[in-house]
Amino acid sequence: MPPSAFRPMKPGWTAVADALAEAQRNEPLNPVEHTPHSQIDPGDNAFLYQFVPVQVAAKQFAQRGLLETAVTKYKEAIPILVGNGFEVPLPTVSGGGLYSEKYVEMPLFKRTALMQACNDIGQFFMKTGDDEEALRWFLEVSIIYKNAHLHDKNEVLFDWFDINIPLDLVYLERIKALVFASNVFLKLGNTSMGAHRRAECTKIVFGSPPGFNIKCLEGMDWKNCLERLPTLRHPDPKLSLNLNIQCKELQAMGSWLKIQIPSDKNIQRRSDFASFVWNGRYYVAGGEKSMGGPFFRDIRYIVLSDLEAGWHFHLPSYPIRKSMGGRMSNWSICVDDNKAYIFNGSPVVDYFDLVAEQWSSIKTKFPASLNGPHGPWPVEDLQDYSMVAYDGKLYVFGGTYERCEVGQNTLLELDLKTHGWRRLSGYPGPKLTAEYTCPGPRRYASMWVDKRVSGGEKIYLLYGDADRVSAKQGGQVYGASGCYAYDDLWSWDIRKEVWRRERIDGNPPCPRSEMGCTFNEKLGMTILFGGYSPTLETYLPEQKKCHSFTYFGDTFLYIPPSSSPSPSSERPKFKQVITRGFPTYRAGAHLFTDPATGKVYLFGGYTNSQLIPEPRDDAMRSYADLWQLRLDVPGGHFEDANLEEDARTARVGPWQRCFNCGNAGPWKKCGGMVMQRPCILLRLAVSERWLEGAQIDA
């Protein structure tokens, strides 16, 4: 295209309005005219003259309905921007990771043109019905932008700070990628990610440079969605009955079954407890019933092969007094060599001998490197951390304590033979340092070990949040009026001792913390349930209230990289589990796997009583219910599920589905008929001040 075809540079967001209009007409955009002249390398203009004609041809093919040809043509243009031999999107089967030196060093206008190309290709795949590929290309827009954070290595920022790229078209391409991806997620029934993507779009719009012309977004239906999406639950009871598998690459069928435990053999409902599986038993220790107590120091177990026998209560309680050892709440327990270890930040690590059934402790030694400008350490009130055990060692990441409420990002390793600690990465706070090479400071992250991953054993760390509100209330650094929910997945290579930030491909949960999480070795995948978001709004029309947070009841799978990668290997990705019914929306629930059978269970957790039909005024409600998840994957015990029965009788969060009409939700009357009598649905309540059943004859 000759230079005369380029329009003159337009100031401010007038250029963005024109850009969107052009995008809607499927005409190519020239990033040069939207780039400040001081940022353009004259030597790179030749690349642009090669790129634009191919871009024009690709969009002409798309206008004629030749979408596959359009994608092929557009892919021919990408090497003009990134060079030959560089794969876009970034590969996941081999290499992997989110970081790209090519993206980091890319000139601004080339980076913007590549973001536009990824958006266009994603739209082409949307039109062909290939949702998985469409999401990969929309995700690549975000990855290209995230790599721009790494461009200025002299100013490293925490994740809760956004960078300001002085180019209007960058904002437009980010918004387009979020909106298009949101549409795909909502189509698949992933309401949480659909709502999150739209919320992120809003932040970009209202954080954009002065002079932004909001009319340029009218064609994207962004405002209407922002009014409607906060009214949805995740999953939404009005939608769950009609959800089906639309894309087997991104979804899997599942069924939740509530295990009936005799009331005289059940455990007290609780949250913030620790739990583990050993020798065919599931153990629960400590926790609290509500924010004001009571606080537990007991340890109980249930035999997984005899669930109807209920819980066993004969084990001795944790002997360390609360005044000395703190509340037995928000701690973790991991098992190694028939011993269950508890950690609270102290050099004295307590453990429960599972064979002798008695408590004891070991004295450990912390390295001097933990003290200094980022110390002091140890602390004796560490909570909300993540911990796993592997090969005779404990690995502890993050958590909060009194002087560091925002969270810290130290990765510690305890050798259970030598009783010595090592600091592997990060800092214990309260003075923290931003880094791009390891996860940021946080609490409540999901953490698991996968020894079957290609290239060696890895520890995975997913999401979590930084409690900037508590930090502000305590007058600490990094405080703010809102928390920050992380949107990242990291892997720690146990052999190489290095972090890598991973792509989040597929159909994942939206950013959140306090998820139930278990790695199922028999299935070769990680299962995730529920959680809490401090940033995703929930609007309750029946109460006319809007809350700045939400709780989840959705279920997801993470398929890790193959242990023997090949070109035909399935990419590491997330899938959403479609279920007709599900446990009540909650955070802090524990998912666990029976190693002998591969069965997946869920126990306990809590929710905010304002978000469920709770007749009490308590801010928090905890649970003591036990559920089994059946998955439609090989070895997932799905043969025991009855989807037709689920559609009629399944519990849908806090509501009971009407047997006659299948309806569920916060209404009282369904209008159906049972035994030729009207069916009245009461807001479901569990035995403790709730009404079990929810159906009565009028």
Side-chain angles (χ1 to χ4, degrees), residues 253-416:
M253 208 69 198
S255 173
W256 282 103
L257 173 68
K258 186 175 182 182
I259 307 298
Q260 300 298 329
I261 306 293
S263 59
D264 60 335
K265 298 179 180 179
N266 207 354
I267 196 173
Q268 289 178 286
R269 55 189 177 94
R270 63 186 69 196
S271 66
D272 300 326
F273 54 90
S275 72
F276 59 92
V277 176
W278 176 80
N279 198 27
R281 300 173 179 178
Y282 175 62
Y283 290 77
V284 168
E288 57 193 63
K289 186 176 181 180
S290 63
M291 297 177 64
F295 302 99
F296 306 113
R297 306 182 81 75
D298 57 356
I299 181 167
R300 309 285 187 244
Y301 73 85
I302 190 170
V303 179
L304 297 177
S305 61
D306 189 15
L307 296 173
E308 295 181 357
W311 292 87
H312 295 254
F313 299 89
H314 67 276
L315 298 179
S317 297
Y318 184 52
I320 309 301
R321 295 194 305 272
K322 178 182 175 183
S323 59
M324 296 179 61
R327 297 187 322 195
M328 196 179 182
S329 180
N330 291 301
W331 295 350
S332 294
I333 296 182
C334 288
V335 177
D336 181 81
D337 193 24
N338 298 328
K339 296 180 177 67
Y341 292 89
I342 291 180
F343 180 61
N344 67 350
S346 168
V348 177
V349 176
D350 299 314
Y351 68 87
F352 184 73
D353 190 313
L354 294 162
V355 177
E357 295 187 345
Q358 61 185 20
W359 290 93
S360 187
S361 62
I362 58 174
K363 292 184 178 180
T364 64
K365 184 177 180 180
F366 288 102
S369 62
L370 278 172
N371 287 300
H374 300 285
W377 192 270
V379 299
E380 297 190 2
D381 58 345
L382 185 66
Q383 297 181 329
D384 312 331
Y385 57 88
S386 305
M387 184 168 75
V388 295
Y390 181 71
D391 196 23
K393 296 177 181 178
L394 294 182
Y395 295 88
V396 180
F397 178 86
T400 64
Y401 56 94
E402 186 177 1
R403 300 190 307 278
C404 190
E405 296 282 4
V406 73
Q408 46 101 9
N409 70 334
T410 315
L411 177 63
L412 299 174
E413 176 196 82
L414 172 62
D415 190 317
L416 294 172

Side-chain angles (χ1 to χ4, degrees), residues 651 656-657 681-682 684-686 690-696:
R651 293 265 297 272
Q656 181 73 36
R657 197 179 294 284
L681 287 182
L682 293 182
L684 181 65
V686 185
W690 286 41
L691 298 174
E692 187 78 33
Q695 285 189 355
I696 63 172

Side-chain angles (χ1 to χ4, degrees), residues 444-448 461-464 486 488 508-518 527-532 552 554 556 574 586-591 602:
Y444 297 134
S446 296
M447 192 173 180
W448 68 92
L461 187 83
L462 177 66
Y463 295 166
Y486 284 93
D488 52 1
C510 74
R512 60 186 74 180
S513 59
E514 298 188 80
M515 284 185 290
C517 171
T518 180
I527 300 97
L528 304 157
F529 172 83
Y532 162 79
F552 303 97
D554 43 9
F556 294 86
F574 288 87
R586 67 185 74 184
H590 284 211
L591 275 176
L602 177 141

Side-chain angles (χ1 to χ4, degrees), residues 539-562:
Y539 179 69
L540 305 178
E542 63 273 13
Q543 300 178 13
K544 296 183 179 180
K545 291 183 179 179
C546 185
H547 301 281
S548 60
F549 55 85
T550 195
Y551 289 77
F552 303 97
D554 43 9
T555 310
F556 294 86
L557 308 175
Y558 176 66
I559 316 298
S562 172

Side-chain angles (χ1 to χ4, degrees), residues 404-572:
C404 190
E405 296 282 4
V406 73
Q408 46 101 9
N409 70 334
T410 315
L411 177 63
L412 299 174
E413 176 196 82
L414 172 62
D415 190 317
L416 294 172
K417 293 181 180 179
T418 65
H419 298 174
W421 289 92
R422 285 202 304 150
R423 182 181 71 88
L424 300 176
S425 70
Y427 299 96
K431 185 180 179 180
L432 302 168
T433 299
E435 297 178 277
Y436 294 145
T437 57
C438 68
R442 69 191 70 195
R443 59 176 184 168
Y444 297 134
S446 296
M447 192 173 180
W448 68 92
V449 178
D450 186 354
K451 61 184 178 182
R452 301 167 29 152
V453 178
S454 172
E457 305 88 344
K458 289 188 178 180
I459 298 173
Y460 284 91
L461 187 83
L462 177 66
Y463 295 166
D465 69 69
D467 189 1
R468 304 187 71 195
V469 173
S470 295
K472 181 179 180 179
Q473 293 172 348
Q476 300 175 5
V477 291
Y478 316 118
S481 57
C483 294
Y484 177 76
Y486 284 93
D487 64 347
D488 52 1
L489 170 66
W490 292 81
S491 67
W492 171 260
D493 191 308
I494 296 177
R495 296 180 185 176
K496 298 178 181 178
E497 296 191 346
V498 62
W499 284 106
R500 185 176 75 180
R501 185 166 178 175
E502 306 287 356
R503 294 175 61 96
I504 301 182
D505 270 310
N507 191 11
C510 74
R512 60 186 74 180
S513 59
E514 298 188 80
M515 284 185 290
C517 171
T518 180
F519 177 73
N520 190 311
E521 195 162 343
K522 283 189 176 293
L523 301 181
M525 61 183 66
T526 302
I527 300 97
L528 304 157
F529 172 83
Y532 162 79
S533 170
T535 59
L536 192 62
E537 292 185 350
T538 303
Y539 179 69
L540 305 178
E542 63 273 13
Q543 300 178 13
K544 296 183 179 180
K545 291 183 179 179
C546 185
H547 301 281
S548 60
F549 55 85
T550 195
Y551 289 77
F552 303 97
D554 43 9
T555 310
F556 294 86
L557 308 175
Y558 176 66
I559 316 298
S562 172
S563 58
S564 54
S566 66
S568 60
S569 298
E570 187 176 25
R571 298 188 189 103

Side-chain angles (χ1 to χ4, degrees), residues 200-222:
E200 289 298 297
C201 169
T202 309
K203 292 179 183 178
I204 296 173
V205 170
F206 292 105
S208 58
F212 171 61
N213 183 2
I214 202 169
K215 291 184 178 180
C216 71
L217 299 177
E218 290 179 354
M220 293 185 176
D221 189 32
W222 72 282

